[in-house]
Amino acid sequence: MRRTCRLVVSFALVAVVCGPASAQTADSGPSDRAPSVGHIAGDIPRDLWNFLSWDTALVLGIGGGAALIAHPWDDDLAGELETNVSLNNAMAPGHTYGGFGVQVLIGVGFYTGGRLGGKGRLAQTGADIMRAQILSQAYVQAIKFSVQRERPDGSDHYSFPSGHSASAFATAAVLQRHYGWKAGVPATVVAAYVATARVHDNKHYLSDVVFGAAMGIAAQRTVTLHSRRYDMAMIPAAGAGSASVTMTVRTR
């Protein structure tokens, strides 16, 4: 019973971090136009910059708080899940599904299907998944190399945060954004399963996967909140002994 209760708590903590993903602004709805490959590639550098925002600070603040709450259970939960052999077969697919390569392929599949089928919304969803994956992993890996937290199994020092959790929650949050909770709830449950599997496999602590979930959600919000929301124009002007630049930002 204690194991079951702590599993429920772990899912609840991850879900707390996922909550802010539904609080999108009204003027940033999903586009029905299929973006080109060039457009997707061009958005990635802007995503890396836009990630550094107050919105990201809010999401990661919530995630960090949840990770701190989870921290006291890190060792106990990791030990209990690892020694529960009845979960071995059930948790095995989590490592594969949560991998960055698999998640990117999911995005590629959505994008390709949308382009070939003339479904702009589906293609846009796939594009957002791919961008969210690249963005989340760029910052996750940077944090891993900076923090150097040892994994529970002692295999290396790249435990915090969980890249698998970030990838799975990024995809879940994109699906929720484009298709609502009918797609978001199942995808979030799968993402929580991936997070639990990583703890069970002794690759991460509970706090690692909770903060990883926040990273994935923050990446999704960056991609969908900032994407194509503004037009910017810069107009230079010169006069006698002076020069100026006027910048105009217009909401689309």
Side-chain angles (χ1 to χ4, degrees):
M1 178 62 70
R2 289 179 61 195
R3 291 190 182 102
T4 303
C5 289
R6 288 181 180 178
L7 272 172
V8 170
V9 169
S10 70
F11 280 112
L13 286 170
V14 175
V16 164
V17 186
C18 194
S22 62
Q24 307 283 4
T25 56
D27 64 342
S28 59
S31 171
D32 289 327
R33 294 189 302 171
S36 67
V37 173
H39 197 158
I40 297 171
D43 280 336
I44 292 172
R46 287 190 288 271
D47 291 338
L48 293 169
W49 174 254
N50 289 332
F51 187 81
L52 306 175
S53 67
W54 286 112
D55 186 81
T56 294
L58 173 63
V59 175
L60 296 187
I62 295 172
L68 285 174
I69 294 172
H71 181 67
W73 295 324
D74 276 350
D75 292 327
D76 291 344
L77 185 61
E80 290 186 6
L81 287 177
E82 183 188 18
T83 57
N84 191 340
V85 294
S86 63
L87 293 175
N88 287 349
N89 291 334
M91 293 295 168
H95 173 76
T96 301
Y97 176 79
F100 170 72
V102 172
Q103 294 295 317
V104 169
L105 285 177
I106 291 173
V108 171
F110 273 77
Y111 178 76
T112 303
R115 292 283 291 189
L116 295 178
K119 304 292 184 180
R121 188 180 186 187
L122 186 64
Q124 183 65 63
T125 301
D128 286 349
I129 290 174
M130 289 187 283
R131 289 169 56 198
Q133 293 302 321
I134 294 170
L135 177 60
S136 65
Q137 290 306 308
Y139 281 98
V140 162
Q141 297 306 316
I143 295 174
K144 281 179 179 287
F145 278 88
S146 300
V147 174
Q148 293 280 303
R149 186 184 196 185
E150 186 177 12
R151 292 187 189 273
D153 64 358
S155 59
D156 60 39
H157 289 79
Y158 306 127
S159 185
F160 182 87
S162 167
H164 281 66
S165 298
S167 286
F169 273 90
T171 295
V174 170
L175 291 175
Q176 187 277 325
R177 173 62 185 144
H178 283 273
Y179 298 104
W181 286 110
K182 289 184 179 179
V185 168
T188 300
V189 170
V190 172
Y193 157 73
V194 169
T196 303
R198 295 301 285 169
V199 177
H200 172 266
D201 291 346
N202 213 24
K203 291 297 183 181
H204 288 289
Y205 296 105
L206 178 59
S207 55
D208 297 337
V209 300
V210 169
F211 194 77
M215 291 291 293
I217 293 166
Q220 172 268 324
R221 289 179 64 84
T222 298
V223 166
T224 58
L225 282 174
H226 291 280
S227 184
R228 291 169 297 282
R229 291 184 65 200
Y230 305 106
D231 280 328
M232 183 179 295
M234 298 180 66
I235 305 172
S242 66
S244 65
V245 176
T246 303
M247 180 180 294
T248 302
V249 179
R250 178 173 62 86
T251 305
R252 292 189 180 184

